[in-house]
Amino acid sequence: MIQGRVYRSIEDQVVSEPELLDASRPGAGNRSVFEVSLNIVNATVGAGVIGLPFALKLAGFWCGLALSCFVAGLTYAAIYTLILCGQRTSIYKFADLSEYAMGRFGYHMLNLMVFVQSAGSCISYFILVADTLPVLLGLYFPQYPHLADRQLITVLVSVIVIFPLNLFRSIGALAHWSAFSVLLLPVMIISVLIRAPAYAPQHQAPLSGIGQDPVAAMGIMSFAFVCSQVAFDNFLTQKNQSVTAWSLTSAISTMMSWTISMLFALCGFLSFGNDVSPNIFRDFPVDDNVINVGRLALGLSMVLTVPMAFYPARDALQKSLGFETADRQPSALQHYSVTVVLFAIFLCFGVNVRSLGKVYSLVGGLSSSFLAYIIPGFAYIVVFHPEWLKRASSPEMLPLIGAENQKVYARPTWWLDVCAVTLVLFGSIVMTFTAISAFQ
């Protein structure tokens, strides 16, 4: 009886806390279509855009533009079909849907790919910290030459500032830091858009058809555009949860993300052409004060963004090791041991690896392709066409909760069928060629 007084039921907790209610079931959201679209854009447009000018170089200008449109279209199809699958199965969690579609293999594969995606993000963020902060400190404090030491400064900043932020068990403790980090990204992007055209006369930007490595370019684009893992979380916060409204949300968010990302990519590529690097900030002189504002914004943003990628990686590893289950949380020893070991490994790679393009293409080609394309496409086939795989039929479809005025029932259509097959094939091809190139 005492225990019952101390611990509220999950139902009581959900009802008393609106944010938990929004995130736990359909029909409780209160956000508009435009608000949810902005949230998805915010989750999509991040540090990955820095590598998009380099992706245009690898793919070739016209081929790169075509690939970006194709990837954006697949992104729209992926987040749209995920919600249709959720409606049919009453599953509104990405991991649960993956397990429904692929069994325990899907569950473990999802954890592996989330780990690879998050680990790659962490390493790329450490690389960006190393590429920005030591440069600025060395320029503006020349009397202290040690401040320009790439490895020393990166390790000090990581251990003193970043590591403590990774010790919390819940990512919710970082909400305020995350908001500040997001505000820095527009500063970074705007500084490049302002200054890059001034350097265009010094470089040639051939408008070629096909470049030297379109597959690597697809990996970088996949890394930059992936947002399937946040589709359910954002859908549950939307007030109008009809199929029509979610289709509009998917279209608006995809178009906005593509426009912002490709504006940045075009500006960078047309300004630096064949000389563009995976980190476009390295193409600018170190004494460009406007760009240095962007460099500072990038460096500070990455310092605060490392934990946002570290937490999913740690959670995925703890689940795979059996430290975290449905009815058990990791002990303090397990939690801090995994944190210290993972952080040390990621930092070691971040300090010693300089090829940001390799990280982007490898992570994007492997994990992002699986998360963004293969799971959504395969889940749609399992849910709407189980006969294709000789499986039992899925349950009868129910209208979306909270869409009383627009009870639109999701039905398989020929264009959704084509999109689903294309998602699986495209994701598999990119994963295969990325894996082959990684071992060459």
Side-chain angles (χ1 to χ4, degrees), residues 202-424:
Q202 305 172 25
H203 305 274
Q204 291 185 346
L207 304 183
S208 59
I210 300 179
Q212 61 188 23
D213 198 347
V215 175
M218 286 189 287
I220 296 173
M221 290 179 183
S222 298
F223 183 87
F225 282 101
V226 61
C227 59
S228 299
Q229 68 272 25
V230 301
F232 284 121
D233 292 335
N234 281 284
F235 169 75
L236 293 174
T237 67
Q238 185 165 301
K239 184 176 182 180
N240 184 349
Q241 294 179 348
S242 67
V243 173
T244 304
W246 180 249
S247 175
L248 182 60
T249 300
S250 304
I252 292 175
S253 61
T254 302
M255 183 58 68
M256 290 179 66
S257 297
W258 181 87
T259 301
I260 296 171
S261 299
M262 293 312 298
L263 178 63
F264 187 88
L266 288 171
C267 182
F269 175 76
L270 294 176
S271 299
F272 294 99
N274 287 332
D275 299 320
V276 70
S277 65
N279 177 3
I280 193 172
F281 279 96
R282 299 185 65 178
D283 299 324
F284 293 94
V286 296
D287 58 351
D288 189 317
N289 290 324
V290 175
I291 284 299
N292 284 341
V293 173
R295 281 195 178 104
L296 179 61
L298 174 62
L300 293 177
S301 176
M302 293 304 97
V303 166
L304 301 175
T305 305
V306 168
M308 304 304 293
F310 183 85
Y311 278 66
R314 183 179 60 196
D315 291 344
L317 181 59
Q318 289 178 157
K319 289 176 181 176
S320 297
L321 294 174
F323 293 168
E324 180 179 341
T325 62
D327 56 356
R328 176 176 174 269
Q329 290 296 313
S331 65
L333 177 61
Q334 292 169 338
H335 171 76
Y336 291 118
S337 298
V338 172
T339 299
V340 171
V341 172
L342 270 188
F343 187 84
I345 293 173
F346 293 164
L347 177 58
C348 183
F349 275 104
V351 169
N352 292 289
V353 175
R354 292 175 179 262
S355 180
L356 191 62
K358 281 289 185 181
V359 175
Y360 280 159
S361 61
L362 183 62
V363 175
L366 292 178
S367 61
S368 298
S369 294
F370 183 81
L371 297 173
Y373 311 129
I374 295 178
I375 289 182
F378 192 76
Y380 174 88
I381 293 173
V382 170
V383 170
F384 289 97
H385 293 289
E387 69 279 3
W388 292 1
L389 304 173
K390 297 181 180 180
R391 290 194 179 189
S393 298
S394 299
E396 288 299 318
M397 188 171 307
L398 299 174
L400 286 172
I401 299 174
E404 293 83 4
N405 297 327
Q406 297 184 22
K407 288 187 177 179
V408 180
Y409 292 78
R411 301 292 183 188
T413 62
W414 69 267
W415 70 270
L416 285 175
D417 295 348
V418 171
C419 286
V421 174
T422 304
L423 283 167
V424 175

Side-chain angles (χ1 to χ4, degrees), residues 70-203:
F70 182 66
V71 169
L74 289 183
T75 300
Y76 163 80
I79 60 177
Y80 178 62
T81 55
L82 274 177
I83 301 307
L84 300 189
C85 294
Q87 179 195 4
R88 177 103 184 197
T89 60
S90 297
I91 295 174
Y92 294 95
K93 296 294 181 183
F94 196 44
D96 294 341
L97 183 63
S98 178
E99 184 173 7
Y100 178 90
M102 302 181 180
R104 291 302 292 177
F105 168 80
Y107 175 80
H108 291 298
M109 192 67 176
L110 178 73
N111 278 332
L112 174 61
M113 290 305 169
V114 167
F115 178 83
V116 173
Q117 172 83 13
S118 302
S121 297
C122 274
I123 293 170
S124 68
Y125 298 157
F126 279 126
I127 294 174
L128 290 171
V129 170
D131 286 346
T132 53
L133 296 186
V135 173
L136 296 175
L137 292 173
L139 176 65
Y140 293 106
F141 299 98
Q143 65 273 30
Y144 303 108
H146 292 299
L147 294 180
D149 189 310
R150 186 179 190 272
Q151 292 187 340
L152 175 64
I153 295 303
T154 304
V155 171
L156 287 178
V157 170
S158 299
V159 172
I160 296 173
V161 181
I162 301 176
F163 179 69
L165 297 177
N166 292 321
L167 293 176
F168 299 104
R169 284 181 178 262
S170 172
I171 203 171
L174 304 176
H176 297 299
W177 294 111
S178 176
F180 179 66
S181 175
V182 168
L183 292 176
L184 293 171
L185 287 174
V187 177
M188 172 196 78
I189 294 175
I190 291 172
S191 69
V192 173
L193 294 179
I194 291 175
R195 291 297 297 156
Y199 297 93
Q202 305 172 25
H203 305 274

